[in-house]
Amino acid sequence: MGNLYSEYLNPSKVLEHYNYTKETLDTQETPSRQVASAVIVVLCCAIVLENLLVLIAVARNSKFHSAMYLFLGNLAASDLLAGVAFVANTLLSGSVTLGLTPVQWFAREGSAFITLSASVFSLLAIAIERQVAIAKVKLYGSDKSCRMLLLIGASWFISLVLGGLPILGWNCLGQLEACSTVLPLYAKAYVLCVVTIFSVILLAIVALYVRIYCVVRSSHADVAGPQTLALLKTVTIVLGVFIVCWLPAFSILLLDYACPVRACPVLYKAQYFFAFATLNSLLNPVIYTWRSRDLRREVLRPLQCWRRAAGVPGRRRSGTPGHHLLPLRSSSSLERGVHMPTSPTYLEGNTVV
């Protein structure tokens, strides 16, 4: 074990593993590669900004301090960190990769695995919360905020452990024949274990949502109301987008386990599958704000403040002068799914839209 950790600072180890698993080491910075890297960095900056706005909205408005929004905020935090991790991965790729020490390489790849784990566990927490809400079970009790934060903390702890296993010793340093082609310092057994865990959790989440839909469809009106269905539709969209974005990456990792070294050329294009998976972190905030008018208003508030500070003229509201918006009840499909009236209702000095 001591010899294993002594290799962590050996700058020639990464090159040795890449030479063994790759047919050619194409690390030249061509113009097309530079453009692709720039586009990825810009997209990741958009991911960070979007999810930061969601986190600010959830944190500053007490209306969003329910279990559902806290878990969505946790998912936004993992997406934000995924954007940061992918920027670091992009900037430390190409010719820079071969100059990394194993511990630097483990930190680069482990950060991506940690954020992926956090996203999966956030989806599981959201599914459990929906099941609890449908069953009307008071799972959290009077100290629900404390218990929810403990649950979120536990999910991050497990994510750190899963992502940190290679740097703790579960890697293929000194065992080249056991190395992954996509991730040349990771043991194939580790990659298979992580993908299997994520796949089992996702299948369990899908089964849980199927059960929830069956309960809702067969229940009385107080359970199967439009607000419940609207909320289920939102979280199902989030889950579906995650599966669609990450399924190709999971498939390439499973193929990596099955293929002998240098036997599957498609594995050398794995970066495109992971780039596609990163779109999930870009789309999640769009789904939240698209489905929730309240959250959309709160997310856009900092941008509107910036526009006013910059002196950019805004669009003038239509309606009767002297009447102002007064939200009498939540219009959020995430929290309640209430259908607001389609025609304006005038109250004394206010307009409800």
Side-chain angles (χ1 to χ4, degrees), residues 200-268:
V200 169
I201 292 175
L202 289 174
L203 287 174
I205 294 172
V206 171
L208 194 55
Y209 278 124
V210 170
R211 183 176 182 279
I212 291 172
Y213 270 106
C214 291
V215 170
V216 168
R217 292 296 185 184
S218 61
S219 296
H220 300 294
D222 60 332
V223 175
Q227 63 272 21
T228 304
L229 294 177
L231 181 53
L232 282 177
K233 184 176 180 181
T234 299
V235 294
T236 304
I237 292 172
V238 171
L239 175 63
V241 169
F242 182 91
I243 293 175
V244 169
C245 289
W246 278 99
L247 184 60
F250 285 179
S251 301
I252 206 74
L253 291 175
L254 291 175
L255 181 64
D256 182 20
Y257 177 80
C259 281
V261 64
R262 301 186 182 183
C264 299
V266 68
L267 297 179
Y268 303 136

Side-chain angles (χ1 to χ4, degrees), residues 55-324:
L55 285 173
I56 293 173
V58 172
R60 67 182 291 176
N61 194 329
S62 59
K63 181 179 181 178
F64 302 133
H65 291 178
S66 63
M68 182 66 186
Y69 279 104
L70 286 178
F71 290 137
L72 282 178
N74 187 49
L75 182 58
S78 64
D79 286 334
L80 186 153
L81 293 177
V84 174
F86 206 68
V87 167
N89 201 301
T90 301
L91 297 179
L92 295 175
S93 295
S95 58
V96 180
T97 299
L98 304 182
L100 299 176
T101 61
V103 70
Q104 292 171 331
W105 191 94
F106 287 138
R108 186 189 78 175
E109 301 299 336
S111 61
F113 271 74
I114 289 170
T115 57
L116 171 59
S117 302
S119 296
V120 172
F121 285 113
S122 295
L123 292 172
L124 178 61
I126 291 171
I128 293 173
E129 194 278 336
R130 286 297 86 207
Q131 171 64 30
V132 169
I134 293 297
K136 297 185 177 180
V137 176
K138 294 184 178 180
L139 177 66
Y140 304 110
S142 58
D143 56 343
K144 61 180 181 179
S145 296
C146 180
R147 295 191 182 187
M148 284 187 293
L149 292 177
L150 285 175
L151 180 60
I152 291 172
S155 70
W156 278 99
F157 176 76
I158 297 173
S159 300
L160 285 169
V161 171
L162 279 177
L165 284 175
I167 202 171
L168 295 176
W170 195 358
N171 55 60
C172 63
L173 291 178
Q175 298 177 320
L176 289 174
E177 67 282 355
C179 289
S180 160
T181 299
V182 175
L183 302 162
L185 272 69
Y186 278 177
K188 283 187 174 184
Y190 167 75
V191 175
L192 177 64
C193 176
V194 171
V195 173
T196 301
I197 290 173
F198 292 161
S199 300
V200 169
I201 292 175
L202 289 174
L203 287 174
I205 294 172
V206 171
L208 194 55
Y209 278 124
V210 170
R211 183 176 182 279
I212 291 172
Y213 270 106
C214 291
V215 170
V216 168
R217 292 296 185 184
S218 61
S219 296
H220 300 294
D222 60 332
V223 175
Q227 63 272 21
T228 304
L229 294 177
L231 181 53
L232 282 177
K233 184 176 180 181
T234 299
V235 294
T236 304
I237 292 172
V238 171
L239 175 63
V241 169
F242 182 91
I243 293 175
V244 169
C245 289
W246 278 99
L247 184 60
F250 285 179
S251 301
I252 206 74
L253 291 175
L254 291 175
L255 181 64
D256 182 20
Y257 177 80
C259 281
V261 64
R262 301 186 182 183
C264 299
V266 68
L267 297 179
Y268 303 136
K269 304 296 182 183
Q271 67 271 20
Y272 297 111
F273 295 87
F274 290 112
F276 180 73
T278 307
L279 291 177
N280 175 69
S281 299
L282 184 70
L283 294 175
N284 277 341
V286 176
I287 298 172
Y288 310 150
T289 54
W290 165 51
R291 296 289 299 169
S292 170
R293 190 170 70 177
D294 290 338
L295 184 59
R296 180 168 64 248
R297 185 184 298 121
E298 192 69 28
V299 165
L300 294 178
R301 182 175 296 177
L303 300 180
Q304 292 169 346
C305 292
W306 172 84
R307 187 176 64 180
R308 287 195 295 266
V312 179
R315 187 177 59 183
R316 183 170 296 178
R317 292 184 183 271
S318 59
T320 306
H323 294 276
H324 307 285

Side-chain angles (χ1 to χ4, degrees), residues 14-65:
V14 173
L15 178 59
E16 177 187 345
H17 282 251
Y18 273 74
N19 275 328
Y20 179 79
T21 58
K22 312 289 186 184
E23 289 182 346
T24 58
L25 291 179
D26 182 18
T27 59
Q28 250 186 339
E29 288 295 332
T30 60
S32 60
R33 177 172 291 181
Q34 291 175 341
V35 170
S37 297
V39 170
I40 290 173
V41 170
V42 170
L43 287 177
C44 289
C45 290
I47 289 172
V48 171
L49 177 61
E50 283 183 346
N51 287 284
L52 181 61
L53 290 173
V54 171
L55 285 173
I56 293 173
V58 172
R60 67 182 291 176
N61 194 329
S62 59
K63 181 179 181 178
F64 302 133
H65 291 178

